[in-house]
Amino acid sequence: MTDAEDRKPRSDEARTVYDSEVTSEFAIPQGLATPRAGGESETTSEFAVPDGLEVHPPAFDEPEGSAFSTPKMYRARQAPPAFTPPSGIPVVSLTKDLPWQDRMRTMLRLPVAERPAPEAVHKSEDEGPAVPRVLDLTLRIGELLLAGGEGAEDVETAMFAVCRSYGLDRCEPNVTFTLLAISYQPSLVDDPVTASRTVRRRATDYTRLAAVFHLVDDLSDPEISISLEEAYRRLAEIRRNRHPYPTWVLTLASGLLAGAASVLVGGDLIVFVAAMLGAMLGDRLAWLCAGRGLPEFYQFTVAAMPPAAIGVALTVAHVDVKASAVITGGLFALLPGRALVAGVQDGLTGFYITAAARLLEVMYFFVGIVVGVLLVLYFGVKLGAELNPDAALGDTNRPLWQIGASMLLSLTFAVLLQQERSTVLWVTLNGGVAWTVYGAMHYPGNLSPVASTAVAAGLVGLFGQLLSRYRFASALPFTTAAIGPLLPGSATYFGLLSIAQNQIDEGLVSLAKAASLAMAIAIGVNLGSEISRLFLRIPGGAGAGRKAAKRTRGF
């Protein structure tokens, strides 16, 4: 047979086989066994058991071969607790007549899967809440609270209350010193919606703070229907409202505060007037620096100079007054007690980043005060001013004068904090009680000033929390101004004076005492607040109490 005949197809059938073998990609290669023919398709799942592998049914006496097989040590009667117990997760009953702070804090500390479902949404439109707008409203409310000095835990509680009032229950707020963030996830399979906001400016206005708390209280009330537009309108009114006290009243209040503090440490009428003038002059200089855009560090430095300068001038002029009382009174008006209490409170409640930032801010303010006073004292010593760091300031023979001065100090402090007029009387009485307890324990009882200060501050926090729960408002207006008489003004002054006179060891000891007193105030206020919650009905019954953080228990 020739080559031409060999290349020529022999028949139509052979041509068909030849073409299919060449052109078909599904053709079976030579040498591969033909698959078995059957009525059903072969299993192609990745979960199919490979050929040659023997599968045994799960048994208790055989090793575990699958993630779905029962463990060999498993016994039905001694089954470990599952994620969801057989009886179900206990229902958290939230009493509606409790303050929203306690109800929202209880739910916020529960895991997301254990939180009770929100009630029917009645504050939003029929088609459901506008999630981005609800988150934006929540962040704006949180910004006002954080800028007003509220603690991080209370800010998170308020943000959670706003979201839940509009039906967004699966939300997680996050608060730091300068950043607010909130995340909402509709379900386990949906993408979360996250929004954030930066807090750049801080202003102390407790009247605005109380108005924001009242708005959150109305939003949390199931019997009050507030739409998103109405909530935005009320929030805009709160932002536009002016401070309740004009500037000249604030300046006069700072002067009266310094004068009351000087009387509190043993000053007379001349000392009262001198301290008042020095504090008012320092306040005006600080306002001038603020108008020029200088940071708060330099504002505190400038504000601390006039009281120290007047005290040194009286000493150089050989006026028979207690110059140390004048300088101490001026320091009382500048010590950042509000930021200190908020910082320690954040640290005790587990917000360590925010607490560290707040305490760092307090340190900068304190360093600014130190620089301003040390500059004046240094030049005063060079001019021959005879300032005695060992002079005793306290006067135990005038308890009524000191109680009156402490109440005046608390009243003026409340005015400086822009509090509502309805709360000024309560905080004034609370400050008088604080100093009475401190004086009774320190002078007749001969207890250490640190322990006396801690007990007095604890009572301030206790009464402040009870008053705030009674009025469904923030506790800051009832506690911050009341701790004014307890601030360590004299210990701070004597420490700075010893350093100016090159007595470093004595100065550091006195400053350490001032720091101890400040920490005693902050811890006492927070402890009093926690004790007050023991007397309140916690939502959820006896088994669903106020859960604390477990991350500091060694694991």
Side-chain angles (χ1 to χ4, degrees), residues 205 207-208 241-246 415 417-421:
D205 189 344
T207 300
R208 180 179 297 175
N241 285 343
R242 294 187 176 183
H243 300 304
Y245 306 102
V415 173
L417 293 174
Q418 303 281 0
Q419 292 190 196
E420 290 181 299
R421 292 179 174 86

Side-chain angles (χ1 to χ4, degrees), residues 196-218:
S196 62
R197 194 175 184 89
T198 302
V199 180
R200 303 187 184 277
R201 297 186 60 186
R202 301 178 184 275
T204 303
D205 189 344
Y206 282 1
T207 300
R208 180 179 297 175
L209 191 69
V212 176
F213 261 74
H214 184 64
L215 173 60
V216 178
D217 185 24
D218 290 343

